[in-house]
Amino acid sequence: AVSWSGILAEYRLNGWAPFYLSSVMYLFASVLAVLSWFLKPAWMCRFTWTIILLTFVIHTVGLVARIYISGRAPVTSIYSSALAIAWGMVLSFLIIEVATKRGVANFMGGLTGFLTLLVAYGLSLTDDTFAVLQAVLDTQFWLWTHVTIIAVGYILTMVAGFWAIWMIAVSWLPGTTTADMKRSADITYGLICAATVLSFLGTVLGGLWADVSWGRFWGWDPK
């Protein structure tokens, strides 16, 4: 049945365009983060973090609106996956910036948020943004457990990768201390551990989903 409240919510969501707005603000924040490295005022790092947090809230409202409209988990298609990945990466870098207070995570969060939403925008031009991949995605429980947990595992893996690449790059710069490298290595290790646990748990849940839906565990068949 058609939900007129859902249609009205989708109309307002498209008119507001929160993800386009978020992508512009993420790009602006990443530029501010770079400027803060050269000007070095502590207030500029805090201001940049606040801008990213505000943008993250807008991004979150857009995702919640999509969940309300579709009645499904936030990861049901390639487009929605890109939106969720951007959200998760920005959240991770917001937390990392609180721990490090160096402005680096501000730049990484703004840049990855912008680039991932740019990918999502490109995907939105080729297909229905509320489309659902046709597998066995009619089971809400498994959408909210297996698919979401797997997505979070992927997000943390990507964050760990970006942070490790940055760590290697700055290791060649003068002024980088052993303490800085150790902290970065600890952050990367923690992210990898969390990503491994979540990816393992999500894979196990995927096997259980296959057993419930198909009568056997995942066999990598065409279905």
Side-chain angles (χ1 to χ4, degrees), residues 84-106:
I85 288 171
W87 183 90
M89 294 180 73
V90 172
L91 175 61
S92 300
F93 284 119
L94 280 171
I95 296 172
I96 292 173
E97 180 60 28
V98 171
T100 58
K101 296 181 174 62
R102 298 294 299 273
V104 176
N106 282 339

Side-chain angles (χ1 to χ4, degrees), residues 83-159:
L83 298 180
I85 288 171
W87 183 90
M89 294 180 73
V90 172
L91 175 61
S92 300
F93 284 119
L94 280 171
I95 296 172
I96 292 173
E97 180 60 28
V98 171
T100 58
K101 296 181 174 62
R102 298 294 299 273
V104 176
N106 282 339
F107 170 73
M108 299 292 286
L111 182 63
T112 55
F114 166 71
L115 291 178
T116 313
L117 287 182
L118 187 63
V119 171
Y121 174 74
L123 293 170
S124 71
L125 301 177
T126 60
D127 199 0
D128 178 10
T129 58
F130 280 94
V132 177
L133 293 178
Q134 295 302 312
V136 195
L137 296 184
D138 56 348
T139 308
Q140 292 297 310
F141 174 77
W142 295 110
L143 270 175
W144 282 100
T145 54
H146 161 67
V147 178
T148 304
I149 290 174
I150 279 287
V152 175
Y154 293 164
I155 288 167
L156 293 181
T157 301
M158 294 177 67
V159 172

Side-chain angles (χ1 to χ4, degrees), residues 71-86:
R72 293 178 177 269
V75 184
T76 54
S77 65
I78 302 300
Y79 171 77
S80 62
S81 297
L83 298 180
I85 288 171

Side-chain angles (χ1 to χ4, degrees), residues 6-39:
I7 292 174
L8 179 60
E10 184 174 355
Y11 173 77
R12 290 175 175 173
L13 180 68
N14 291 334
W16 181 34
F19 304 117
Y20 174 78
L21 176 61
S22 296
S23 66
V24 174
M25 292 179 67
Y26 283 139
L27 179 61
F28 175 67
S30 64
V31 173
L32 284 181
V34 172
L35 291 176
S36 70
W37 298 344
F38 295 99
L39 302 178

Side-chain angles (χ1 to χ4, degrees), residues 109-222:
L111 182 63
T112 55
F114 166 71
L115 291 178
T116 313
L117 287 182
L118 187 63
V119 171
Y121 174 74
L123 293 170
S124 71
L125 301 177
T126 60
D127 199 0
D128 178 10
T129 58
F130 280 94
V132 177
L133 293 178
Q134 295 302 312
V136 195
L137 296 184
D138 56 348
T139 308
Q140 292 297 310
F141 174 77
W142 295 110
L143 270 175
W144 282 100
T145 54
H146 161 67
V147 178
T148 304
I149 290 174
I150 279 287
V152 175
Y154 293 164
I155 288 167
L156 293 181
T157 301
M158 294 177 67
V159 172
F162 279 112
W163 191 255
I165 291 170
W166 176 264
M167 182 178 67
I168 294 172
V170 299
S171 67
W172 295 90
L173 298 178
T176 302
T177 65
T178 302
D180 292 334
M181 294 300 295
K182 184 179 185 306
R183 172 173 289 187
S184 294
D186 289 342
I187 291 173
T188 304
Y189 178 74
L191 288 167
I192 291 173
C193 288
T196 301
V197 171
L198 289 170
S199 297
F200 171 76
L201 179 60
T203 302
V204 171
L205 289 173
L208 295 175
W209 181 8
D211 185 47
V212 170
S213 300
W214 303 339
R216 62 180 176 80
F217 287 95
W218 214 336
W220 304 105
D221 61 338

Side-chain angles (χ1 to χ4, degrees), residues 1-11 68-71:
V2 176
S3 169
W4 290 108
S5 61
I7 292 174
L8 179 60
E10 184 174 355
Y11 173 77
Y68 169 75
I69 294 167
S70 65

